[in-house]
Amino acid sequence: MKNDGSVLLETRGLTAGYEKKIVLQGVELSVRAGEVLALIGPNGAGKSTFIKSIAGQLARSGGTVFLCGKDLRQMTPGERSERMSVLLTGQPAGELVTCREMAAAGRYPYTGRLGILSPEDWEKVDAAMARMGAADLADLPFDGISDGQRQRVLLARALCQEPKVLVLDEPASFLDIRYQLELVAALRSLTEQEDLAVIISLHELDLVRRCADRILCLKDGRADRLGSAAEIFADGYLEQLYDLPAGSLEPAAPAPGKFSHYIRSEGKQLRCGYTTGTCAALAAAGAAARLLMGVWPETVSLRTPKGPVVQVGLEMQEISEDGTAARCGVRKDAGDDVDITAGLLICAEVRRAQEPGILIRGGRGVGRVTRPGLDQPVGEAAINSVPRQMIREALEEVCRTAEHDGGLEVTVFVPGGEEAAEKTFNPKLGIEGGISILGTSGIVEPMSRQALTDTIALELRQHFAEGHRRLILTPGNYGMDYLRGRDADTLGIPVVKCSNFIGEALDEIRALGYEELLLAGHIGKLVKLAGGIMNTHSRQADCRRELFVTYAALAGAGRDTASRLMECATTDACIDVLKEDGLLQPVMDGLRDAILRYVSERAGENCHVEIILFSNVHGTLAESEGVKEVLRR
Amino acid sequence: MRSHRMRRIVLSFIALILLLILLLMMNIYIGSVSLTPGQVADILFRHDMGSTEGRILWTIRLPRLLAAAVLGGALAVSGFLLQTFFANPIAGPFVLGISSGAKLTVALAMIGSLSAGRTLSSAGMIFSAFAGAAASMGVILLLSGRVRSMSVLVICGVMIGYICSAITDFVVTFADDSNIVNLHNWSRGSFSGISWGSVRTMLPVVGIALILAFALSKPMGAYQMGEAYARNLGVNLRRFRVELILLSSILAACVTAYAGPISFLGVAAPHLIKRMFGTVKPLVVIPASFLGGAAFCLLCDLLARTLFAPTELSISTVTAVFGAPVVIVMMLQRRGRREQP
């Protein structure tokens, strides 16, 4: 049932007061079907008086209230009770009354002379209780349950009265934050699905923001402002309404700005970003919260495996027509790093599943694995295991909060993912149709080019200034680990990480006048040097297979080996092929010599260069003649 | 669970009716002259008024037990109506001084008519009792507008009761007619000397009032949730309140007119009934309170008659012994729960 948006309640010049003291003056308002109107204002502003006046609990001294187009004054109590139900601030005692009986009081206007409920009446009572999450309270004594539970029973009572206008006076006061949110969700779904308007007075501004379509601000008995949440929560108005010093009402949850986790590198601060995996987990958590609790969370947050908490706002909040699926997106923030996926919206759609547990699928824009040797088996969506774990944990957390026992099905999708993926190496890796959802730490530490080269140059200069003339250089952490394994870190020779900027590092080494350099690196990176590619970032060039093929051919490989090499997704796979064909060592030696040649050339004739090639899987692959001597010293 | 509640109500009704029948029979058989079932059947079938036993049964025991049953039930229902009205289970006609108010006006009317050389008619008794009950009720209502706390209101009611009783005692002491002996007995509360004429008058009055009270079950149920909710549910509060007050006053007045003030029954009986039936639904509690009040009153009257025979105790003495502890327990229980505003 869709509501038609007709005006259900209208006040014209509503004036009311107690014993000649005017508390409410000339309030004009009209509330339409499908609308939640919140009433806010400082104590004594006339909120309760307004509620009581429109609910016919208080004789008004002036003005008119129209309920469903009819003057309230000309209605019998019975007529009014079929159109409006209320939830008031006080709770009835309810001695020796079960919750179901208490809720059943809402059927009063529809029962006969003795007030006996028909089976249909009871059905409506049970439906209302189920809707308010009070079904399991049905047979408990009303005076033996908590205030919050009582409040839900009373809401069910108000609901099964089948009102057109539901009036709630500070309904959240007895509820803890969870039930407050559930109340808000229930109200939202009510106004979405029924031909009904809700008028609610609230002190909790956060709830107001979540549930209200419009807000009526009362001050000193007058309507001070009537507007949407955006207008009312606009800068400074609320402070004015509550007579607070400007700025004392900070937004409850600050609008999420940029992710502000920084890494410091030698006096420079680089802003980190978060991975596509983090985005997917956040989006999934947001959609699940909407699905299970009925409210879009203002922000979602999670702790990344690395440690920092990422808190973001949600975009593209959508709920399916039938309400069984919620989807939203989180914008990928790569921080100061340059990244093809930066700015993409990583989205998740969550729906309830028949089976328990959490099922993760890849949708449009997420790649599919077509070749073996990757994190996921062939045929699976390219959502790596760590992001899968993050999604699962985030959803389990939401399920716990919402006390949802069933399963969830989440589909990760990335609008524009196909196009973006073409610029990545996914097609070459055998991941088709979209980008990968990846990231093992959850956050992206930036690799800003200038910042990095500056950092490296600085480090090189410092070591030189300290008197070092010998140096060990390695692209990254793999190299550091390998060197530690060979006790190279205990030699007293400085070890410098140069990332992909090998050419820049060599230029600096040459300019400074280092005398001896040991370059140790993973074959996957250093193989590029054999082709003279001095920036090993995959964005610059790949050429790894081609170089393998070239040196394999030089070692005597045939066309078959060459074509098999060209099909490999990773360098480790290439090495496997070479090993099978008994070509590994000659190829590695060939590559080593080529690398040595290019590096020596770049480092200048005054610098003696040694090279180590290794792989995480196969260990040391090749090293130049002087390495052992260097490491022995 | 729900059928469990229904079954409890049905079983309670059956138990209550059996108890009532048992007490009615005991009231017939037991007394200064014991009767056997054979004698009773014989007397009833032959309408025997000639023998001593026949006269005892027809003119003394039968009207007395009928009056005890009807008036006890009426008092319990009156108590329940007042408890609903004030949203307080300790409210009752005796506690709020309504019985004593009725007692005072009945005493004044009796003395007035006796000194004029006439005896007061049954209707006249009821009418004057109602006037007194209504007057006391009026005072209580005025006070309840000012006094928020229910316990203070109850204390006020007890004080009103004392004032009325004091004036009644004063009037009775200084009246010099020989009928004053009867009046004195009555003013302490007793079912002795009730005639068929009185029974014939009280039956329709109590009967109609009960039916009307039962017809108020639905709005009473809503009113139990509080005024504001009742109003929201479409109860015409002004009319409902007047009806409730009038009915409870009529019932209390009727009892006082014939049996004098009967203490605590109006509080204890509905309370025991609510506990026994496990519900406060007026639809159930009104008829059940009537049956329960009747049984309670029959038991108390039986004890009043027989315990120290031939000396008869006042009915209030016995109801107080049984009723007051119930009220005390209730108040202690309420103290344990949250205080009503």
Side-chain angles (χ1 to χ4, degrees):
Chain A
M1 182 166 35
K2 272 278 164 190
N3 50 62
D4 55 1
S6 57
V7 174
L8 292 180
L9 184 118
E10 194 177 355
T11 67
R12 284 191 203 145
L14 180 62
T15 300
Y18 306 90
E19 289 159 10
K20 288 177 190 159
K21 183 175 169 274
I22 296 292
V23 182
L24 207 60
Q25 203 158 27
V27 176
E28 308 269 337
L29 176 72
S30 69
V31 186
R32 293 177 179 279
E35 191 174 33
V36 176
L37 180 108
L39 215 55
I40 63 168
N43 288 334
K47 294 191 298 293
S48 288
T49 307
F50 180 82
I51 293 269
K52 284 178 185 157
S53 301
I54 59 170
Q57 300 278 355
L58 187 72
R60 346 175 248 298
S61 43
T64 319
V65 177
F66 293 96
L67 181 57
C68 302
K70 200 172 168 190
D71 187 348
L72 201 59
R73 246 181 291 224
Q74 281 156 17
M75 278 187 170
T76 64
E79 285 177 322
R80 189 188 59 217
S81 66
E82 287 175 24
R83 291 170 174 79
M84 177 190 282
S85 68
V86 296
L87 178 78
L88 301 161
T89 40
Q91 292 186 338
E95 194 191 7
L96 290 176
V97 176
T98 66
C99 294
R100 190 164 179 255
E101 287 169 349
M102 182 56 84
R107 297 304 297 164
Y108 185 95
Y110 308 100
T111 54
R113 179 81 204 145
L114 289 179
I116 296 168
L117 275 75
S118 67
E120 292 80 51
D121 285 323
W122 281 117
E123 269 172 34
K124 286 177 177 171
V125 172
D126 291 335
M129 290 195 79
R131 179 145 210 178
M132 285 300 150
D136 49 346
L137 302 173
D139 294 312
L140 297 179
F142 186 74
D143 60 353
I145 57 176
S146 74
D147 286 334
Q149 290 172 321
R150 271 200 284 276
Q151 198 74 338
R152 282 184 283 150
V153 173
L154 291 174
L155 276 166
R157 186 207 65 85
L159 203 57
C160 70
Q161 201 175 328
E162 298 185 322
K164 289 286 176 196
V165 179
L166 181 58
V167 179
L168 310 170
D169 196 3
E170 287 173 28
S173 329
F174 288 111
L175 304 176
D176 68 23
I177 181 71
R178 194 186 133 205
Y179 287 123
Q180 287 183 349
L181 293 179
E182 285 187 6
L183 170 71
V184 166
L187 293 180
R188 288 253 53 115
S189 80
L190 267 180
T191 49
E192 274 166 30
Q193 289 161 33
E194 311 275 342
D195 188 15
L196 174 105
V198 175
I199 297 172
I200 181 171
S201 86
L202 279 172
H203 278 304
E204 297 81 357
L205 294 179
D206 183 44
L207 296 185
V208 172
R209 201 206 303 243
R210 283 168 193 270
C211 75
D213 295 304
R214 284 191 304 152
I215 301 168
L216 174 64
C217 305
L218 288 173
K219 191 175 190 183
D220 302 329
R222 291 170 192 279
D224 200 58
R225 195 182 272 198
L226 175 64
S228 69
E231 292 168 80
I232 300 301
F233 283 86
D235 44 358
Y237 172 69
L238 284 172
E239 281 98 333
Q240 190 189 317
L241 178 68
Y242 286 95
D243 286 327
L244 290 168
S248 47
L249 271 182
E250 283 300 313
K258 278 187 169 178
F259 179 52
S260 56
H261 178 70
Y262 289 87
I263 52 168
R264 188 178 285 275
S265 59
E266 305 295 337
K268 273 217 158 184
Q269 281 211 320
L270 299 176
R271 194 173 70 84
C272 295
Y274 32 86
T275 60
T276 46
T278 302
C279 291
L282 287 166
R290 173 64 181 86
L291 184 72
L292 299 180
M293 295 190 273
V295 201
W296 284 111
E298 211 148 294
T299 63
V300 283
S301 63
L302 66 75
R303 182 170 290 279
T304 54
K306 175 104 180 174
V309 173
V310 179
Q311 187 183 30
V312 294
L314 299 173
E315 296 184 38
M316 196 196 78
Q317 300 172 346
E318 286 174 11
I319 185 100
S320 66
E321 292 255 314
D322 56 354
T324 59
R327 63 181 85 88
C328 63
V330 169
R331 185 88 46 197
K332 166 80 156 75
D333 179 356
D336 284 340
D337 201 16
V338 211
D339 190 322
I340 289 159
T341 59
L344 280 179
L345 199 57
I346 313 295
C347 306
E349 178 181 278
V350 178
R351 52 176 76 234
R352 289 171 203 267
Q354 305 288 332
E355 310 277 310
I358 286 157
L359 182 66
I360 301 170
R361 298 176 194 277
R364 268 192 54 208
V366 173
R368 197 150 290 277
V369 177
T370 60
R371 272 193 248 161
L374 293 162
D375 183 89
Q376 292 294 312
V378 172
E380 264 303 327
I383 304 170
N384 284 2
S385 46
V386 171
R388 277 174 195 267
Q389 188 57 30
M390 288 169 73
I391 292 170
R392 209 166 281 127
E393 280 168 10
L395 290 184
E396 280 162 1
E397 176 72 34
V398 176
C399 286
R400 258 197 306 282
T401 313
E403 287 179 3
H404 172 71
D405 299 326
L408 288 178
E409 187 185 312
V410 52
T411 307
V412 180
F413 61 103
V414 183
E418 293 104 316
E419 295 77 25
E422 284 165 18
K423 296 175 205 152
T424 69
F425 285 93
N426 272 1
K428 290 172 200 160
L429 288 173
I431 295 172
E432 285 173 10
I435 63 164
S436 306
I437 303 299
L438 45 70
T440 50
S441 66
I443 65 169
V444 178
E445 295 196 341
M447 289 278 201
S448 143
R449 186 187 171 107
Q450 192 53 48
L452 256 176
T453 50
D454 286 353
T455 313
I456 297 163
L458 188 71
E459 207 179 341
L460 291 172
R461 257 174 276 168
Q462 277 177 339
H463 290 308
F464 192 83
E466 284 165 13
H468 291 288
R469 295 295 176 267
R470 301 196 301 163
L471 188 73
I472 299 177
L473 195 65
T474 183
N477 290 329
Y478 288 157
M480 296 295 273
D481 292 342
Y482 173 84
L483 289 168
R484 259 193 292 279
R486 292 191 67 170
D487 296 328
D489 55 334
T490 57
L491 294 173
I493 308 175
V495 180
V496 174
K497 271 202 294 184
C498 64
S499 184
N500 291 311
F501 306 105
I502 294 170
E504 284 85 348
L506 292 174
D507 291 342
E508 193 67 30
I509 286 165
R510 178 181 194 162
L512 287 168
Y514 275 100
E515 290 163 8
E516 199 176 287
L517 168 71
L518 170 60
L519 175 61
H522 190 276
I523 180 71
K525 285 258 180 233
L526 292 199
V527 65
K528 295 180 184 181
L529 301 181
I533 301 164
M534 287 293 170
N535 184 327
T536 56
H537 195 285
S538 50
R539 198 168 47 234
Q540 293 292 323
D542 191 352
C543 212
R544 290 172 298 178
R545 275 176 294 258
E546 292 79 354
L547 286 164
F548 272 111
V549 170
T550 306
Y551 285 89
L554 288 174
R559 170 182 286 214
D560 167 61
T561 311
S563 58
R564 270 162 59 219
L565 281 172
M566 285 308 286
E567 270 169 29
C568 288
T570 62
T571 43
D572 277 321
C574 291
I575 289 166
D576 286 336
V577 170
L578 294 172
K579 227 176 186 170
E580 280 167 34
D581 296 0
L583 293 167
L584 183 60
Q585 209 48 53
V587 172
M588 285 304 132
D589 290 345
L591 286 171
R592 177 201 60 201
D593 294 341
I595 292 165
L596 194 58
R597 197 166 61 245
Y598 277 110
V599 171
S600 296
E601 204 170 281
R602 186 84 175 242
E605 53 205 25
N606 295 329
C607 186
H608 176 75
V609 179
E610 299 287 346
I611 298 289
I612 303 178
L613 298 176
F614 67 90
S615 112
N616 291 349
V617 182
H618 300 92
T620 309
L621 294 169
E623 56 187 39
S624 51
E625 283 166 24
V627 168
K628 285 201 174 61
E629 200 185 333
V630 172
L631 293 181
R632 205 178 299 125
R633 274 182 285 176
Chain B
M1 205 56 190
R2 283 149 209 169
S3 59
H4 167 80
R5 270 172 88 74
M6 202 60 208
R7 198 165 61 232
R8 178 169 172 184
I9 288 170
V10 171
L11 287 178
S12 300
F13 263 120
I14 292 170
L16 205 52
I17 288 166
L18 290 177
L19 179 71
L20 193 59
I21 291 169
L22 178 74
L23 282 165
L24 282 170
M25 294 203 298
M26 286 170 76
N27 269 287
I28 288 177
Y29 301 134
I30 301 169
S32 50
V33 176
S34 290
L35 300 173
T36 63
Q39 277 176 307
V40 171
D42 192 47
I43 291 165
L44 288 178
F45 277 113
R46 290 197 293 114
H47 269 259
D48 175 17
M49 306 273 254
S51 67
T52 315
E53 287 82 4
R55 276 203 307 279
I56 288 175
L57 188 64
W58 276 110
T59 59
I60 300 176
R61 287 200 190 159
L62 275 181
R64 181 171 182 153
L65 72 88
L66 277 176
V70 169
L71 296 180
L75 200 56
V77 172
S78 169
F80 178 65
L81 299 186
L82 287 171
Q83 285 147 27
T84 306
F85 184 87
F86 288 107
N88 190 310
I90 331 172
F94 184 80
V95 173
L96 291 176
I98 294 160
S99 297
S100 305
K103 182 175 83 169
L104 173 60
T105 49
V106 171
L108 289 175
M110 272 183 166
I111 290 166
S113 63
L114 284 173
S115 57
R118 287 184 282 118
T119 50
L120 193 59
S121 70
S122 241
M125 294 240 289
I126 292 181
F127 186 80
S128 53
F130 178 70
S136 284
M137 185 62 118
V139 175
I140 286 293
L141 286 178
L142 276 178
L143 286 172
S144 73
R146 288 166 175 259
V147 182
R148 287 252 165 261
S149 158
M150 192 59 211
S151 35
V152 175
L153 193 66
V154 167
I155 292 171
C156 290
V158 171
M159 292 306 145
I160 291 170
Y162 271 112
I163 294 168
C164 291
S165 289
I167 299 172
T168 312
D169 285 349
F170 186 81
V171 170
V172 168
T173 308
F174 288 96
D176 53 19
D177 197 272
S178 60
N179 278 315
I180 291 304
V181 181
N182 274 341
L183 192 60
H184 184 71
N185 261 346
W186 168 85
S187 71
R188 286 168 55 230
S190 171
F191 285 107
S192 69
I194 287 206
S195 66
W196 275 109
S198 304
V199 173
R200 271 194 288 271
T201 317
M202 75 176 71
L203 271 179
V205 176
V206 171
I208 290 168
L210 278 178
I211 290 168
L212 291 175
F214 188 71
L216 282 182
S217 289
K218 183 180 169 181
M220 275 175 84
Y223 194 82
Q224 281 173 335
M225 295 177 68
E227 273 180 40
Y229 281 108
R231 195 185 282 117
N232 172 244
L233 289 171
V235 178
N236 187 336
L237 275 187
R238 196 182 293 255
R239 208 180 81 191
F240 171 72
R241 281 218 193 94
V242 171
E243 288 169 339
L244 206 60
I245 287 299
L246 281 180
L247 285 173
S248 59
S249 298
I250 287 171
L251 287 169
C254 200
V255 176
T256 312
Y258 291 104
I262 299 175
S263 62
F264 298 112
L265 193 153
V267 184
H271 174 71
L272 294 173
I273 288 299
K274 284 182 215 163
R275 293 286 140 197
M276 180 180 178
F277 283 72
T279 182
V280 290
K281 269 188 185 160
L283 211 55
V284 174
V285 177
I286 290 176
S289 284
F290 181 79
L291 296 177
F296 194 97
C297 205
L298 282 171
L299 175 69
C300 291
D301 191 41
L302 184 67
L303 294 174
R305 278 189 307 119
T306 57
L307 222 49
F308 298 102
T311 311
E312 206 172 282
L313 296 170
S314 83
I315 183 77
S316 263
T317 310
V318 185
T319 54
V321 168
F322 287 104
V326 175
V327 176
I328 291 170
V329 168
M330 277 166 68
M331 287 172 89
L332 288 178
Q333 278 179 348
R334 281 175 66 72
R335 173 64 44 112
R337 266 185 252 146
R338 55 183 173 161
E339 276 284 315
Q340 285 294 107

